[in-house]
């Protein structure tokens, strides 16, 4: 338990669990402190800085935030209170993912209503001058945003402008409330529901300094649900949390040096890098290192389609793979193999992220081996298939290689560009989702001939073991999760459900039994449990009764996968009709496994003439986890989305396999 007498510089208040966890990711040495009235705080140290803060969830609304602010003030006597989380934008010049620091808080629901209409009587609290000045200074120093994971899209902005705090969720531009806001508070940049209560409580506690930092997760325009589904809440919360904690470090550093400059928090002062925790292999820990050692986000991550925020049960494996990638003396090829849905792509992604922190690679590229037929047959004597040339071009674009206009010379020019690299340059290339040993052999041989050999590195992911067919490979096998890691994953996925989050292993054992420790299947089961609102035992009993004569040789996990897909497809068909759903899902078979579509491409291929219907079917498919949406910033100045389906669902939908059906025991 924490000691309330420990020097707490700041109290950070969040309304949502998602916001809470976004802040918590940047803290270490966490301890629980319980207020006598029952409110639980966690105290922790900002990673890489000798600064302690307290963290709490207030719940939604100004009244709750006021109460918790009062308790935090009495318990910790902090120097500052920060209200951190997400908000809705009120103006077109503020984009999703931007951060708004409140220069003033409007409690906008105050007013008088008479025969002549509504007359606003707002309350307002200006941000303390010294906090506003520190925030403005921080916006001029770009080092702090290197703490953040990359999210594809344009660089985000920091806005110092007023913020509204009311008692309702505003998600309309046409409602009477929206009209009132535009009429009386047109200088406000964002709207939320907690800062007015917290500001009042802080004001009544000897004018305790308080500042609100909000990431923009929606536009308050009726599309909040769609924005939330595409992941903007997590992105916005993470950015707001990083800015707020960097601000705390800057304030404390300035106080210690006796200056008004936050120079002590410049590059090299503190940073965090996601790393695996030694206990249980979960990625809940961080490794501290210099900010200057963390490279800026690069293009390769836009091509790595991963939907995880944390890996479980592979802590040591990520360390080992990263070490093999960085090594100059080991094999040039690192292979990750295992069954479908086991997490090869996610592990490769995290290992590459870990490796980039060492600054040993000057160029990185990621491509997906998304063939449309059997073996790739990559490099025939004539110079390469069209598919292979597309892969080569994709790698070249990310590596900043100019291959010229002649497709017939692309492979040759790629090799020439590799040969022209300086002695200090190293290339890291990833080819994800290779289906067969023959394909892997072709990929490795071809890239070797094009110059991707030591000291450069090539990572491949595949379902099959390459040794001993390819002896010059460092190979790692991914296995199903052990029970302790599978339970940790289930609780993480169900963090918003109190029962699932606190359930013991015995209660969760049925989920382990029907998923065989496969992370992808665990995700599907948990999502269906949360969305179906059925008792867990009833839901799992349905899964155990799956199958018939055609399924006798297939494992329960294999039958479960098919059943979950069918449940989701049938639900989508119930909403929009079988013909529309088939048009959408079959569109993904036009390209290869792992390929992505832009919105316009998918709309055109689907043949759904009604654009409104297409949008609704696509949104429903994303909600049911049939389609995954990613950021796509390929068009400068435009924030787009890209869409794909998981490789296992591709096989299920398009009738393709890699030589044997997953889970049939052959």
């Amino acid at each position: 338990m924490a000691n309330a007498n420990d020097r707490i510089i700041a109290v950070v208040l969040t309304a949502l669990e998602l916001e809470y966890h976004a802040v918590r990711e940047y803290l270490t040495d966490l301890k629980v402190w319980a207020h006598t009235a029952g409110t639980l705080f966690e105290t922790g140290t900002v990673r890489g800085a000798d600064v302690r803060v307290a963290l709490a969830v207030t719940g939604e609304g100004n009244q709750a935030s006021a109460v918790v602010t009062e308790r935090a003030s009495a318990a910790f006597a902090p120097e500052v209170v920060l209200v951190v989380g997400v908000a809705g934008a009120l103006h077109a010049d503020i984009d999703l993912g931007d951060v708004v620091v409140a220069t003033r808080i409007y409690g906008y629901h105050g007013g008088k209503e008479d025969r002549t209409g509504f007359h606003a009587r707002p309350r307002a609290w200006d941000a303390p001058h010294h906090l506003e000045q520190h925030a403005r200074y921080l916006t001029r120093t770009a080092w702090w945003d290197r703490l953040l994971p990359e999210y594809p899209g344009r660089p985000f902005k920091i806005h110092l402008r007023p913020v509204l705090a009311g008692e309702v969720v505003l998600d309309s531009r046409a409602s009477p409330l929206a009209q009132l806001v535009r009429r009386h508070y047109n200088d406000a940049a964002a709207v939320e529901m907690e800062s007015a209560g917290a500001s009042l409580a802080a004001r009544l506690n000897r004018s305790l300094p308080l500042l609100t930092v909000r990431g923009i997760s929606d536009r308050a325009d009726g599309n909040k649900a769609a924005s939330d589904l595409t992941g903007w809440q997590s992105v916005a919360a993470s950015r707001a949390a990083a800015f707020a904690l960097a601000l705390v470090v800057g304030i404390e550093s300035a106080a210690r040096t006796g200056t008004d400059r936050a120079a002590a928090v410049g590059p090299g002062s503190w940073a965090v890098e996601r790393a695996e925790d030694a206990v249980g292999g979960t990625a809940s820990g961080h490794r501290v290192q210099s900010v200057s050692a963390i490279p800026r986000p690069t293009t390769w991550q836009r091509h790595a389609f991963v939907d995880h925020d944390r890996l479980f049960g592979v802590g040591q494996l990520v360390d080992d793979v990263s070490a093999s990638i960085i090594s100059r003396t080991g094999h040039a090829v690192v292979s990750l193999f295992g069954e479908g849905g086991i997490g090869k792509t996610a592990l490769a992604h995290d290992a590459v992220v870990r490796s980039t922190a060492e600054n040993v690679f000057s160029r990185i590229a990621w491509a997906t081996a998304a063939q449309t037929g059997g073996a790739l047959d990559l490099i025939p004597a004539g110079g390469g298939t069209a598919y292979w040339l597309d892969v080569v071009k994709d790698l070249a674009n990310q590596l900043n290689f100019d291959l010229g206009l002649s497709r017939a010379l692309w492979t040759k020019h790629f090799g020439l560009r590799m040969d022209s690299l300086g002695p200090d340059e190293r290339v890291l290339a990833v080819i994800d989702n290779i289906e067969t040993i023959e394909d892997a052999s072709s990929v490795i041989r071809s890239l070797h001939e094009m110059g991707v050999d030591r000291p450069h590195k090539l990572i491949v992911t595949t379902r099959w073991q390459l040794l001993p067919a390819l002896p010059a490979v460092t190979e790692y096998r991914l296995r199903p999760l052990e029970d302790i890691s599978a339970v940790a994953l289930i609780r993480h996925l169900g963090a918003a459900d109190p029962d699932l989050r606190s359930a013991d292993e015995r209660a969760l054992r049925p989920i382990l039994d029907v998923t065989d420790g496969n992370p992808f299947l665990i995700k599907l089961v948990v999502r269906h449990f949360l969305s179906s609102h059925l008792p867990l035992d009833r839901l799992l009993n349905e899964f155990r009764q799956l199958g018939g004569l055609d399924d006798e040789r297939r494992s329960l996990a294999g039958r479960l996968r098919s059943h979950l897909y069918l449940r989701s497809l049938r639900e989508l068909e119930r909403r929009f009709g079988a013909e529309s759903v088939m048009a959408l899902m079959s569109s993904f078979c036009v390209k290869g496994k792992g390929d992505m579509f832009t919105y316009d491409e998918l709309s055109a291929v689907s043949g759904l003439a009604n654009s409104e219907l297409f949008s609704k079917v696509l949104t429903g498919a994303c909600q049911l986890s049939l389609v995954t949406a990613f950021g796509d910033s390929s068009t400068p100045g435009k924030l787009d989305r890209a869409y794909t389906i998981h490789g296992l669902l591709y096989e299920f939908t398009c009738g393709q396999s890699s030589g044997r059906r997953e889970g049939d025991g052959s």
Side-chain angles (χ1 to χ4, degrees):
M1 299 289 288
N3 185 342
N5 293 323
D6 290 345
R7 184 167 182 260
I8 299 298
I9 306 302
V11 171
V12 180
L13 302 179
T14 67
L16 307 176
E17 287 289 338
L18 176 144
E19 299 165 342
Y20 182 93
H21 286 288
V23 177
R24 197 175 188 268
E25 284 292 307
Y26 296 108
L27 303 179
T28 186
D29 189 25
L30 290 161
K31 300 176 183 178
V32 177
W33 186 84
H35 190 275
T36 55
T39 304
L40 291 181
F41 293 84
E42 272 192 293
T43 64
T45 302
V46 179
R47 296 187 182 278
D50 185 19
V51 176
R52 288 192 65 76
V53 302
L55 175 63
V57 176
T58 66
E60 295 182 3
N62 287 298
Q63 293 181 354
S65 67
V67 171
V68 177
T69 301
E70 173 68 30
R71 292 175 180 175
S73 174
F76 300 105
E79 296 181 13
V80 61
V81 173
L82 294 170
V83 180
V84 178
V86 300
L90 295 174
H91 292 282
D93 64 326
I94 300 177
D95 289 325
L96 299 181
D98 283 1
V99 173
V100 176
V101 180
T103 56
R104 177 179 299 128
I105 297 296
Y106 288 120
Y108 68 92
H109 270 117
K112 177 184 177 181
E113 185 86 29
D114 59 22
R115 289 179 300 174
T116 63
F118 179 81
H119 308 281
R121 292 182 178 179
R123 298 199 64 176
W125 299 267
D126 285 348
H129 177 69
H130 72 290
L131 296 185
E132 181 181 333
Q133 288 296 299
H134 277 287
R136 291 187 185 279
Y137 177 84
L138 193 58
T139 64
R140 298 192 290 269
T141 58
W143 66 268
W144 69 271
D145 65 357
R146 301 184 191 181
L147 312 178
L148 294 164
E150 182 201 18
Y151 191 85
R154 58 153 194 84
F156 63 95
K157 298 177 182 177
I158 309 294
H159 306 267
L160 280 91
R161 293 164 67 174
V163 168
L164 296 177
E167 296 299 333
V168 299
V169 176
L170 178 60
D171 189 27
S172 170
R173 291 288 174 86
S175 68
L177 180 59
Q179 296 172 15
L180 180 149
V181 165
R182 285 195 297 272
R183 184 182 310 117
H184 297 290
Y185 310 99
N186 60 11
D187 61 336
V191 60
E192 39 101 318
M193 298 173 60
E194 290 78 36
S195 291
S199 296
L200 176 59
R203 170 71 176 78
L204 296 178
N205 273 278
R206 301 177 183 237
S207 296
L208 174 64
L210 179 142
L211 193 68
T212 290
V213 180
R214 295 286 184 175
I216 298 302
S217 60
D218 64 87
R219 296 186 180 279
D221 60 357
N223 295 308
K224 175 176 169 55
S227 298
D228 291 350
L229 283 171
T230 51
W232 278 112
Q233 275 196 325
S234 295
V235 176
S238 180
R239 290 174 177 174
F243 187 91
L245 291 177
L247 182 65
V248 172
V249 174
I251 293 170
E252 175 63 6
S253 298
R256 290 180 181 178
T257 58
T259 70
D260 292 327
R261 296 181 302 108
V265 299
S269 62
W270 67 284
V272 290
E273 175 202 5
R274 212 172 276 275
E276 310 305 317
D277 189 349
V279 180
T282 64
S284 59
H286 294 76
R287 182 169 63 200
V288 177
Q289 66 173 44
S290 168
V291 170
S292 59
I294 301 180
R296 299 297 294 171
T298 51
T299 304
W300 71 268
Q301 288 178 295
R302 301 170 189 165
H303 298 258
F305 301 133
V306 294
D307 64 352
H308 75 285
D309 60 354
R310 182 173 297 179
L311 293 182
F312 291 82
V314 291
Q316 186 60 52
L317 189 55
V318 173
D319 287 340
D320 294 343
V321 173
S322 300
S324 295
I325 295 172
I326 295 169
S327 172
R328 289 180 176 270
T329 59
H331 292 134
V333 180
V334 177
S335 172
L336 308 179
F337 76 98
E339 66 179 84
I342 204 69
K344 301 181 292 294
T345 299
L347 189 140
H349 174 273
D350 281 24
V352 173
V353 169
R354 182 83 60 83
S355 303
T356 59
E358 303 296 333
N359 270 351
V360 297
F361 294 103
S362 56
R363 304 176 192 233
I364 303 175
W366 182 298
T368 300
Q371 69 273 32
T372 57
L376 291 177
D377 189 23
L378 290 178
I379 302 294
T385 64
Y387 164 72
W388 173 241
L389 292 178
D390 290 339
V391 171
V392 171
K393 182 64 172 175
D394 193 14
L395 293 174
N397 289 340
Q398 297 176 56
L399 297 174
N400 293 321
F401 289 172
D402 182 5
L403 301 185
L405 298 178
S406 175
R407 292 173 63 88
L409 297 176
W410 279 358
T411 56
K412 177 181 178 181
H413 286 171
F414 191 101
L416 293 174
R417 300 297 177 268
M418 289 294 301
D419 291 341
S420 67
L421 293 177
D424 295 330
E425 289 213 67
R426 288 184 73 189
V427 167
L428 173 60
V430 183
I431 307 294
D432 186 28
N433 198 27
I434 303 177
E435 288 294 349
T436 69
I437 295 177
E438 292 78 10
D439 293 343
S441 299
S442 297
V443 167
I444 294 169
R445 183 186 69 249
S446 301
L447 289 175
H448 172 76
E449 293 173 353
M450 293 160 57
V452 183
D453 199 358
R454 288 193 303 183
H456 312 295
K457 287 285 183 175
L458 171 65
I459 304 173
V460 297
T461 70
T462 178
R463 294 195 188 182
W464 316 112
Q465 184 175 10
L466 301 183
L467 293 173
L470 298 171
V473 173
T474 301
E475 194 165 52
Y476 297 93
R477 180 175 185 176
L478 278 73
R479 301 179 183 277
L481 295 179
E482 296 182 357
D483 288 354
I484 186 173
S485 299
V487 168
L489 173 59
I490 293 170
R491 288 176 177 152
H492 176 68
L493 295 170
D497 185 285
D499 295 331
L500 195 59
R501 185 175 66 245
S502 61
D504 58 24
E505 183 176 336
R506 182 176 59 180
L508 299 178
R509 166 58 58 181
I511 298 179
L512 308 183
D513 293 339
V514 302
T515 57
D516 291 347
N518 185 296
F520 184 66
L521 292 181
I522 290 173
K523 290 181 180 180
L524 290 178
V525 170
V526 171
R527 287 169 180 169
H528 275 269
F529 169 70
L530 295 175
S531 63
S532 69
H533 304 290
L534 292 175
L536 180 60
D537 58 349
R538 184 179 182 88
L539 186 69
L540 295 178
N541 188 52
E542 292 183 11
F543 295 154
R544 295 188 187 98
Q545 298 175 9
L546 298 176
L549 294 177
D550 293 338
D551 289 325
E552 288 182 357
R553 293 180 63 246
R554 302 180 65 194
S555 69
L556 179 57
R559 284 179 277 154
L560 170 63
R561 180 186 304 126
S562 298
H563 179 73
L564 290 174
Y565 291 155
L566 286 173
R567 281 175 64 115
S568 296
L569 287 169
R570 286 169 181 164
E571 172 60 21
L572 199 62
E573 290 173 354
R574 184 189 67 80
R575 299 182 191 178
F576 304 108
E579 184 176 348
S580 298
V581 173
M582 178 62 69
L584 173 68
M585 298 306 296
S586 62
S587 299
F588 290 96
C589 304
V590 173
K591 291 189 178 183
K593 182 190 298 184
D595 267 3
M596 65 178 181
F597 288 79
T598 66
Y599 181 91
D600 291 337
E601 287 176 339
L602 194 56
S603 176
V605 173
S606 73
L608 293 173
N610 187 321
S611 59
E612 182 178 356
L613 175 61
F614 171 76
S615 296
K616 290 181 178 179
V617 177
L618 179 59
T619 299
C622 292
Q623 292 172 341
L624 293 168
S625 299
L626 291 168
V627 175
T628 303
F630 296 91
D632 176 25
S633 58
S634 57
T635 305
K638 187 176 182 181
L639 187 61
D640 283 336
R641 308 298 294 167
Y643 303 90
T644 189
I645 57 177
H646 192 279
L648 296 178
L649 182 54
Y650 180 91
E651 293 179 356
F652 182 83
T653 302
C654 305
Q656 301 224 0
S657 69
S658 55
R660 63 179 182 180
R661 185 177 298 275
E662 180 66 29
D664 67 1
S666 61

